[in-house]
Amino acid sequence: MAEFIFMLTHHDATVPDALEVYGTLRDSGLRHVGFKDIGLPVATLAELARRMHEDGRTVYLEVVSVSADDELRSIRAARDIGVDVVMGGTHPDEALPLLAGSGIRYYPFPGQVVGHPSVLLGTPDEIAASAAELSARPGVHGLDLLAYRHSGDVPSIIRAVVGAARGPVVVAGSIDSAERIAAVTELGAWGFTIGGAVFEAVLPAGPSVREQVDWTLACARETAARRG
C-alpha cells in the first residue's frame, strides 16, 4: 500500500501545538510523520523528533524555502533536529554536500518548482527527465513530487515520474480525498503526504486530528486491498 506521511503542518508551517497534537497520535497506526522547520524553534522540533523516534516512527522534514540560502538553512536545521528524511528543495548541488555523512535520506523536488505556495511546471516528459536525472545522483534516495500542484494531466505526471525514478516517489500537496489517495496508490507512488486537509477536517471523518488520521490510514489500507 502507499505509505501515508502525516505532516504536522498547515499553511506551509509546523502547527504551533505540534507536540500536543502528536501526543494524541502516539498509539495510532502511523509509521511516518513530518513537519517543516518553519513555525517552531529547532529545539522544540528536536524534541518532537525524539518522541517520534522513541515511538519507532520515521521522521521527515519538508523544505519549503524559495531561496537557496533559506533552503540550505533548512538542511542544516534538519541535521540539528535529527530527522530521517529531508523532502523537497530545488538546489541539490548545494544540499547534497551538507547532507553527506549525516545518514539523512534526501528526496528533492523533480521538475520546475516555483513560487510560494509552490507550483509544479513542465510537461510530463520534462518532469520525468528531471526525475531520472535527480534520482541517478549519489545521495538522492527518492523524490518529492508536487503532482497535484500542476495544472495539467496529473495521472500522466505521476505515471511518468514513477517510471523514470530509481527510488521511491512521494506525492505531496493537495491530497484531500479518497479518490486522490486511490490514484497515487494505483499509479505506483511509494507514498503520499497530507497535512492541511487533516487540520481543516476536509476528509470524510470526524473533526479531530486523530479521526482524520485514522480515516486516512484505513483508506490507504482499503485501497491496497482492492488492488490485491
Side-chain angles (χ1 to χ4, degrees), residues 42-176:
V42 167
T44 304
L45 295 175
E47 172 60 18
L48 185 57
R50 187 195 67 77
R51 295 183 192 184
M52 292 173 181
H53 283 142
E54 186 177 88
D55 296 337
R57 295 188 165 102
T58 303
V59 182
Y60 299 74
L61 183 143
E62 187 169 39
V63 176
V64 294
S65 308
V66 294
S67 73
D69 287 347
D70 286 345
E71 182 175 321
L72 298 182
R73 191 174 301 115
S74 296
I75 297 290
R76 295 185 184 96
R79 294 190 61 141
D80 293 339
I81 294 164
V83 303
D84 301 296
V85 182
V86 167
M87 298 175 59
T90 58
H91 297 85
D93 291 339
E94 294 84 357
L96 283 167
L98 290 179
L99 290 170
S102 68
I104 296 173
R105 301 191 294 279
Y106 179 45
Y107 292 27
F109 291 134
Q112 184 183 1
V113 174
V114 299
H116 189 75
S118 300
V119 296
L120 176 64
L121 304 177
T123 67
D125 286 346
E126 289 168 342
I127 299 167
S130 169
E133 187 276 327
L134 276 174
S135 63
R137 295 190 184 202
V140 173
H141 303 87
L143 298 171
D144 187 11
L145 176 63
L146 297 177
Y148 286 101
R149 300 285 178 84
H150 193 282
S151 61
D153 185 347
V154 171
S156 292
I157 292 168
I158 297 173
R159 189 179 297 110
V161 169
V162 168
R166 294 191 181 183
V169 175
V170 175
V171 178
S174 302
I175 295 177
D176 55 8

Side-chain angles (χ1 to χ4, degrees), residues 5 10 30-31 36 58 71 75 86 109 116 143 152 164 190 193 213 228:
I5 305 170
H10 196 205
L30 273 174
R31 294 189 290 184
K36 296 179 170 68
T58 303
E71 182 175 321
I75 297 290
V86 167
F109 291 134
H116 189 75
L143 298 171
W190 176 87
T193 70
V213 165

